[in-house]
Amino acid sequence: SDYVQALTRLIKVMNKGEFNDPAKVGSLSVIPEKTMLARRLAQCTNPILPGGVHRKSLDAYKLILARIGPIQLAKDISLWSAGLFALFPHANTDCKLVQLKLLTDHYLPLGPRLAPCLTGLILSLLPAIEDDASAYYPAARELFSRIFASAPRPACFHAAWLILNTSPAPGTTPPPTT
């Protein structure tokens, strides 16, 4: 697929020697054209695309989040989270496990700086704890526990109540919009 080829090229560029050589680029934690890149990566998490594209996009996210580090991620959290959070509910099991690891490794260390994205993060992970027999349930439950332990408690409760308040009741349909 064209998506996989483009993501493979992106990963190759990010792994190139001169891009990783501190003598040439210094301590580069800034991604050029990050808004465009984040938008394109988010497009690669579209539910109609195959799992292989999702997996490659997760590999690209992993590389980018490792490159920018926690300080820059905290500044650009909404930028990188849009596509990443949208992927989880419809990803295959392999991608869900990779994504849980990615969130544990890169988002969890943000601790209190997770507050701006807590609602989206919790909402994206809720499908992971619906089925306690799934392969990803233990990792998702552990991630939830660690999120609630590291993020500010008022922000966690605000996010949880916002989700509960704005979600339709089970078995009901939302009212029509006029």
Side-chain angles (χ1 to χ4, degrees):
S1 144
D2 292 338
Y3 288 102
V4 173
Q5 289 173 352
L7 289 166
T8 301
R9 282 191 307 236
L10 170 66
I11 291 169
K12 279 184 181 178
V13 166
M14 296 287 290
N15 281 325
K16 270 192 161 181
E18 58 267 5
F19 196 66
N20 290 319
D21 185 2
K24 292 183 180 177
V25 294
S27 60
L28 181 66
S29 65
V30 177
I31 303 294
E33 298 291 332
K34 65 183 175 187
T35 305
M36 180 65 75
L37 179 59
R39 185 180 305 143
R40 296 296 174 244
L41 276 175
Q43 288 173 339
C44 292
T45 63
N46 189 315
I48 64 170
L49 295 173
V53 174
H54 296 159
R55 179 56 199 253
K56 268 299 184 199
S57 65
L58 286 173
D59 292 343
Y61 273 113
K62 181 180 176 182
L63 189 61
I64 290 167
L65 296 180
R67 170 61 52 96
I68 64 175
I71 294 170
Q72 191 63 40
L73 175 58
K75 291 177 184 175
D76 297 331
I77 199 158
S78 62
L79 191 66
W80 300 111
S81 299
L84 199 55
F85 293 171
L87 174 63
F88 196 87
H90 61 266
N92 62 32
T93 301
D94 180 48
C95 287
K96 286 182 180 184
L97 290 169
V98 170
Q99 188 171 356
L100 287 170
K101 174 90 170 100
L102 187 97
L103 292 171
T104 301
D105 292 347
H106 298 285
Y107 277 70
L108 198 56
L110 298 179
R113 295 176 293 181
L114 274 175
C117 75
L118 271 176
T119 304
L121 179 60
I122 293 169
L123 192 57
S124 74
L125 292 175
L126 282 177
I129 60 170
E130 287 179 353
D131 181 13
D132 60 356
S134 68
Y136 48 84
Y137 177 80
R141 186 168 176 204
E142 175 67 19
L143 180 59
F144 261 112
S145 297
R146 292 178 67 191
I147 287 169
F148 280 95
S150 66
R153 182 132 345 236
C156 291
F157 284 120
H158 179 267
W161 282 112
L162 183 64
I163 292 167
L164 288 171
N165 193 31
T166 57
S167 298
T172 64
T173 57
T177 57
T178 54

